[in-house]
Amino acid sequence: MYHDLDLFIGGDWRAASDGATRGVHDPATEEQLGTIAVATEADIDAALAAARAGFAQWRQTGTWERGAILRRAADLIRARVDEIATLMSLETGKPLAEARGETGAAADQFEWYAEETKRIYGQIIEARTPDARMAVIHQPVGVVAAFSAWNFPALLPARKIAAALGAGCSIIVKPAGEAPASCAALIRACHDAGVPAGAVNFLTGNSGLIAERLIASPIVRKVSVTGSVPVGKEILRLAADGVKRVSMELGGHGPVLIFDDVDPEKVAETCAATKFRNCGQVCISPTRFYVHDSLYDRFSKRFAEVANGLKLGRGLDEGVQMGPMANARGLSTIQDLVADAVDRGAEILAGGRRPEGINRGFFFAPTVLGHVPDDARVMREEPFGPIAPITPFRTYDEVMERANSLPFGLAGYVFSNDLTTATKAYEDLECGMIGVNEMLLATAEAPFGGIKESGMGREGGSLGLHDYLDPKYVKMKLAR
């Protein structure tokens, strides 16, 4: 099922110019699935030239035609959902049901922007004098360099590809080396749907080399990245030299505020199901649980029960609810975070170790930590894995100060049945996205992104399209 992947440049799949490849591994078995081509400088330059030519053609394509092509791409992705989901499960380890859901969400991005490309509205401004006309139009930025992460290997690149194409830009996509096949499937769908040669290109290999060469090129005018905060800062530094447009969706550390007017067991079930989705490797994952002290015991007990009841295993196996972590370095980090929290006084309510009976793969048991102090690393560093740290609070002002104390601001969550409390909390939380009595935030029609060190710009919704457009103001004097 899994196969070796080449580069896609100028409408053709091709090997790296020097033939170099690198392995892709199954995180559940640690066995090699296939290989990716390792792009050389010559390959990167070829992609740049192809994207420049592709942009010249694609930007002249009418919005209704662009929309029709994007709609066909959405239909093809949905028709190929089983194939794409299987590839995704193999390369990420996530359960097949989650992989199918992600594939559908990727198709939704193409469907949304198929419609939104027709709604690139300008503005007429009333001039001060009768012989003048003033207007604002929006035009595509140009060639886009896009860098994606491994945790959602279809949805994340889909947000970038669909928005860029919808705006009339061409794009060069660099997926994560751990999970490239899902993105490659999107590229095939775009090609098969009729996206012209060069408008979409696909590079794999050395991330640092590809990023430096693409961003340094004057051909690239826009950079989009999904990744960690350190990666985002480095991309921003590279983009500064050329004053490139940049949008970044970076790491978070999602606070969850659970007030004293809710059903703690019901909320615990909702939180646990979301926390362990994709093995906790979700940028908007709930990662700091602040529970009113009157509900703390009941909430923690039920949370741990749900964690202990999850079935672990290879994502393709029947009934599996949580797969492995994506790589060995993530597993090592999670183990260190748990050890640090326990050393600082936290108690293990569930998990806290490698699961018994699983002797290979990057598995870690769903872990619930209780009474976690604020100085524990897991409360200060994004725990990109299956750890749920829980801590009690007493007053609104106390919990809001603790929740806003970090430099991250991606997503936050509030559970309260009191309208005043819920409204005040979502207004006061310093995050780009808030869920109130809800944890499933991502959807094609809504803007996705953070504030503070969690990034800039938005993906999804109408705002996502405008990150790929330049506004142009025009003032015209009428002839006398």
Side-chain angles (χ1 to χ4, degrees):
M1 179 66 189
Y2 208 93
H3 51 82
D4 297 340
L5 293 174
D6 288 334
L7 312 173
F8 188 76
I9 299 173
D12 295 315
W13 294 97
R14 63 175 79 171
S17 56
D18 64 356
T21 62
R22 180 182 300 170
V24 179
H25 295 82
D26 183 340
T29 65
E30 303 180 51
E31 296 175 354
Q32 182 166 309
L33 293 165
T35 63
I36 55 172
V38 178
T40 65
E41 291 186 356
D43 296 323
I44 299 168
D45 291 344
L48 286 164
R52 179 167 54 186
F55 174 58
Q57 178 180 356
W58 183 244
R59 71 176 303 178
Q60 298 300 325
T61 304
T63 55
W64 281 71
E65 185 178 350
R66 287 206 305 258
I69 292 172
L70 290 175
R71 169 73 74 165
R72 285 198 293 272
D75 292 342
L76 288 170
I77 292 167
R78 292 190 177 110
R80 299 167 183 177
V81 61
D82 289 337
E83 173 192 348
I84 298 172
T86 299
L87 292 171
M88 188 187 305
S89 183
L90 284 169
E91 64 187 6
T92 65
K94 67 177 63 183
L96 194 56
E98 290 187 18
R100 287 196 181 102
E102 181 183 341
T103 304
D108 288 349
Q109 294 290 327
F110 283 88
E111 179 176 345
W112 171 260
Y113 285 111
E115 297 300 323
E116 201 66 13
T117 189
K118 305 170 189 175
R119 305 188 185 104
I120 302 176
Y121 300 134
Q123 182 183 17
I124 301 297
I125 303 170
E126 279 298 315
R128 297 188 180 194
T129 59
D131 62 345
R133 299 294 184 269
M134 300 166 65
V136 177
I137 63 173
H138 296 278
Q139 296 180 310
V141 171
V143 175
V144 176
F147 304 90
S148 190
W150 46 261
N151 55 326
F152 286 91
L155 176 57
L156 298 181
R159 286 177 179 152
K160 305 175 192 304
I161 298 168
L165 293 178
C169 299
S170 63
I171 188 168
I172 304 170
V173 185
K174 164 62 177 70
E178 293 97 332
S182 306
C183 182
L186 303 184
I187 303 298
R188 290 190 185 91
C190 288
H191 177 263
D192 294 346
V195 174
V200 176
N201 304 274
F202 173 86
L203 294 177
T204 52
N206 186 316
S207 297
L209 173 66
I210 293 172
E212 289 177 10
R213 199 160 186 89
L214 287 182
I215 298 172
S217 171
I219 294 173
V220 168
R221 293 310 311 158
K222 154 82 179 179
V223 181
S224 176
V225 58
T226 302
S228 67
V229 172
V231 167
K233 290 180 178 179
E234 180 59 28
I235 293 290
L236 201 56
R237 281 190 286 268
L238 292 172
D241 286 339
V243 195
K244 314 277 180 163
R245 290 271 302 269
V246 179
S247 59
M248 301 188 297
E249 190 263 289
L250 308 179
H253 203 335
V256 186
L257 280 53
I258 300 159
F259 291 96
D260 60 357
D261 59 356
V262 300
D263 180 334
E265 286 85 7
K266 182 178 179 180
V267 173
E269 291 167 4
T270 298
C271 290
T274 307
K275 169 69 253 184
F276 299 117
R277 182 173 67 100
N278 200 30
C279 200
Q281 300 167 127
V282 182
C283 56
I284 61 170
S285 179
T287 48
R288 293 178 286 152
F289 295 88
Y290 298 99
V291 185
H292 193 273
D293 60 1
S294 65
L295 305 181
Y296 175 84
D297 290 338
R298 292 167 61 191
F299 177 90
S300 301
K301 179 182 177 182
R302 183 59 187 143
F303 203 120
E305 289 172 350
V306 174
N308 285 326
L310 293 175
K311 180 179 178 180
L312 275 63
R314 194 164 181 249
L316 294 177
D317 293 344
E318 185 72 27
V320 166
Q321 295 167 291
M322 193 181 92
M325 297 191 65
N327 49 57
R329 65 181 182 277
L331 176 60
S332 177
T333 298
I334 290 299
Q335 291 171 318
D336 290 345
L337 291 176
V338 171
D340 173 80
V342 172
D343 287 345
R344 295 176 187 271
E347 56 182 324
I348 296 177
L349 304 179
R353 51 176 170 72
R354 295 289 300 272
E356 296 180 2
I358 299 179
N359 300 317
R360 61 178 181 169
F362 308 125
F363 289 93
F364 196 77
T367 296
V368 183
L369 302 175
H371 287 287
V372 183
D374 285 352
D375 65 350
R377 283 179 55 199
V378 74
M379 297 296 281
R380 295 179 287 111
E381 303 173 19
E382 182 181 21
F384 214 61
I387 307 179
I390 306 175
T391 187
F393 75 90
R394 292 187 177 180
T395 69
Y396 179 93
D397 289 342
E398 168 212 338
V399 73
M400 193 58 64
E401 181 179 0
R402 294 166 70 188
N404 288 335
S405 64
L406 300 184
F408 311 112
L410 189 56
Y413 304 91
V414 176
F415 284 88
S416 175
N417 292 320
D418 181 86
L419 181 61
T420 298
T421 299
T423 302
K424 194 170 186 312
Y426 81 66
E427 289 177 346
D428 290 344
L429 273 175
E430 296 172 356
C431 299
M433 299 173 283
I434 307 291
V436 180
N437 301 324
E438 168 66 273
M439 305 196 98
L440 300 178
L441 300 181
T443 184
E445 61 271 26
F448 190 99
I451 61 175
K452 301 197 287 190
E453 290 192 11
S454 288
M456 61 181 70
R458 293 296 182 267
E459 294 185 324
S462 57
L463 292 181
L465 190 68
H466 280 271
D467 266 327
Y468 294 87
L469 294 168
D470 279 331
K472 179 182 285 186
Y473 159 59
V474 180
K475 183 175 182 180
M476 180 172 63
K477 196 83 165 181
L478 299 181
R480 292 179 181 242

